[in-house]
Amino acid sequence: MALIHCPACHARMSDKASSCPNCGVSRSEAGTESAERAVRELRRQKQRMTQMWRLLAMLLFVAGAGLTVMSGGGKSMLGVVGTSLAALGFVGYSALRVHALFSKRR
C-alpha cells in the first residue's frame, strides 16, 4: 500500500482507496466540475471554522478587558478573571494568526 496525493485537494491518501477521505472526490472524477466544487466547499468550511474561532478569541479578549476595567484593576476576583480571559483571548487570536500565516506559505 502506497500513499499518493489526491488529484483534487492534494491530501495524502492510500492508492487502494476509491475516494479521498479529505474531500470525498473519487479518483475517477478528479479534475471534473464536481470535484472542483467539492474542494471549494471544503475550503469554505475551513474558512468559516477559522473565522468562528477568531471571533471567539476576540470576544474573550474584549469581555476580559471589560471585566478588568469594571473591577478597577486586578486585585479583586473579578479583575483576575477579566485579566485571565483577556490573556486567553489574546493568546488564542495570536495563535490563529500565526497558523494562518504559516498555512498560506504551503
Side-chain angles (χ1 to χ4, degrees):
M1 178 176 89
L3 290 176
I4 60 172
H5 291 281
C6 170
C9 69
H10 304 291
R12 295 177 86 186
M13 63 183 271
S14 169
D15 63 344
K16 307 278 187 215
S18 60
S19 64
C20 176
N22 187 40
C23 65
V25 174
S26 68
R27 291 183 4 191
S28 62
E29 67 180 24
T32 63
E33 187 176 327
S34 64
E36 292 171 7
R37 194 174 329 126
V39 171
R40 279 195 305 269
E41 181 60 30
L42 185 66
R43 284 187 187 138
R44 269 190 237 120
Q45 286 176 353
K46 286 181 180 180
Q47 286 174 346
R48 278 188 227 124
M49 193 63 110
T50 303
Q51 288 174 349
M52 190 253 330
W53 282 111
R54 282 184 196 156
L55 179 64
L56 179 65
M58 284 190 281
L59 287 174
L60 282 174
F61 178 77
V62 170
L67 285 175
T68 303
V69 169
M70 284 177 23
S71 71
K75 301 290 182 188
S76 68
M77 185 63 164
L78 190 62
V80 171
V81 169
T83 304
S84 300
L85 283 176
L88 182 65
F90 178 76
V91 168
Y93 186 79
S94 299
L96 287 167
R97 294 304 301 161
V98 168
H99 180 267
L101 179 70
F102 284 116
S103 66
K104 283 184 181 179
R105 289 187 177 182
R106 285 190 242 164

